[in-house]
Amino acid sequence: MEAPAAAFLPTRGEERSRAWAAAASVPDPEVPCVTVADLGILRSVEMDGDVAVAKVTPTYSGCPATLAIELAVETALREAGFEARVERVISPAWTTDWITAEGREKLRAYGIAPPVEGSNSIRALFGETVVSCPRCDSEETERVSEFGSTPCKAHYRCTACREPFDYFKCI
């Protein structure tokens, strides 16, 4: 006797997990070594009937990549076979503390110094942060410019190995 066809249908939890995996795999368009999940900006993916609803928080209100990220998440969900909707969540505001440990390591391996943890530190607010070189790990570094290749990064130079690098600012 054959099992009923319903036995082969995915459960809601399986659908949600598959939808999360599709959305979470989207790379950040400005820093492609990390995904939206690594950055912590993909807040959740839930099923609303047959629609996968992804909630995304921009890194900051003026981030030029916000619309591109939302479109890429929606496209990834549709390519995985879901009807999709992306909702922007602005509260609570994103902080670099939401970047995962894996995301921080990916940034370092890519040559970008990850933000120091503890974004609510007064030292972070006034730029007194000690930034380690992502190449040689020396703390003998100096800020060259408040802005790097994108507004969310500052440009630094290591005085030990003499390599320039970007630092992902602490927000």
Side-chain angles (χ1 to χ4, degrees):
M1 177 174 196
E2 291 185 30
F8 299 106
L9 293 176
T11 65
R12 297 310 260 174
E14 291 169 339
E15 282 186 322
R16 184 189 164 281
S17 294
R18 199 167 60 82
W20 170 268
S25 68
V26 171
D28 181 85
E30 292 181 328
V31 189
C33 66
V34 290
T35 67
V36 294
D38 292 329
L39 290 175
I41 62 175
L42 179 63
R43 305 289 303 279
S44 66
V45 178
E46 301 293 335
M47 297 304 299
D48 180 12
D50 292 334
V51 179
V53 180
K55 295 187 177 183
V56 176
T57 297
T59 54
Y60 63 97
S61 61
C63 177
T66 299
L67 289 175
I69 291 169
E70 291 172 351
L71 181 59
V73 168
E74 183 177 335
T75 300
L77 288 169
R78 291 187 189 283
E79 288 176 352
F82 294 98
E83 288 297 316
R85 184 173 73 237
V86 175
E87 295 178 0
R88 188 177 303 171
V89 178
I90 58 171
S91 180
W94 179 83
T95 166
T96 48
D97 291 343
W98 294 1
I99 298 175
T100 65
E102 183 178 354
R104 290 173 184 281
E105 189 50 43
K106 286 179 180 178
L107 287 170
R108 188 179 337 276
Y110 194 67
I112 300 172
V116 295
E117 295 185 51
S119 63
N120 58 357
S121 163
I122 194 164
R123 296 188 65 160
L125 288 174
F126 293 102
E128 300 173 13
T129 305
V130 175
V131 176
S132 297
C133 175
R135 292 182 174 81
C136 72
D137 207 31
S138 171
E139 292 183 349
E140 300 299 319
T141 61
E142 60 187 10
R143 186 174 55 211
V144 175
S145 171
E146 185 60 37
F147 297 100
S149 58
T150 63
C152 59
K153 292 181 266 181
H155 193 65
Y156 273 72
R157 174 179 43 211
C158 178
T159 58
C161 72
R162 302 199 173 274
E163 288 292 325
F165 63 92
D166 273 343
Y167 166 63
F168 201 112
K169 294 178 192 171
C170 188
I171 298 176

